[in-house]
């Protein structure tokens, strides 16, 4: 089983943290890091933060959190746009 990379979006609720979206961003470590580095947000987490992007690697079925950021609602929209654009480019214009 090959290594896979994902970005998940998590929301802090009264029940705790709940993931509500997951993007598969490929098997290429370098490309996955390049996409995650483009995302808007901050590594400075406080109790006021409610939205999180987690960068995960899954190897042999086991997830490992590589990085995370917290963001605003406006940044959430921008980040989804960035991920979608980069995945579109990867799938349509770049050779595997």
């Amino acid at each position: 089983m090959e290594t896979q990379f994902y970005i998940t979006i998590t929301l802090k609720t009264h029940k705790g943290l709940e993931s509500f979206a997951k993007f598969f961003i490929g098997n290429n470590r370098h490309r996955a890091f390049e996409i995650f580095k483009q995302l808007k947000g901050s590594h400075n987490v406080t109790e006021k933060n409610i939205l999180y992007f987690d960068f995960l690697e899954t190897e042999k079925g086991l997830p490992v959190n590589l990085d995370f950021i917290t963001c605003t609602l406006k940044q959430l929209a921008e980040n989804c746009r960035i991920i979608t654009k980069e995945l579109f480019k990867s799938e349509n214009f770049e050779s595997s």
Side-chain angles (χ1 to χ4, degrees):
M1 179 177 243
E2 66 185 322
T3 301
Q4 299 176 326
F5 297 92
Y6 295 91
I7 295 175
T8 61
I9 307 173
T10 303
L11 178 68
K12 184 163 85 174
T13 70
H14 69 282
K15 296 178 189 176
L17 297 174
E18 296 188 32
S19 293
F20 66 92
K22 184 176 186 179
F23 295 92
F24 172 66
I25 55 173
N27 306 100
N28 181 306
R29 176 181 293 277
H30 176 73
R31 180 72 177 130
F33 267 107
E34 289 299 314
I35 292 171
F36 191 79
K37 286 187 334 187
Q38 291 182 55
L39 302 185
K40 311 298 183 209
S42 172
H43 285 95
N44 299 325
V45 177
T46 69
E47 288 185 23
K48 294 181 181 182
N49 299 121
I50 61 167
L51 290 167
Y52 302 89
F53 276 77
D54 293 299
F55 180 42
L56 303 169
E57 173 182 16
T58 302
E59 188 171 355
K60 298 179 184 173
L62 299 173
V64 176
N65 194 328
L66 300 175
D67 202 355
F68 74 94
I69 58 172
T70 183
C71 66
T72 65
L73 189 57
K74 185 175 181 178
Q75 290 169 325
L76 169 69
E78 176 66 11
N79 289 342
C80 289
R81 186 193 68 75
I82 290 167
I83 294 168
T84 302
K85 179 184 81 172
E86 292 301 323
L87 292 177
F88 180 84
K89 284 174 25 181
S90 291
E91 292 297 319
N92 292 289
F93 301 115
E94 298 173 3
S95 61
S96 300

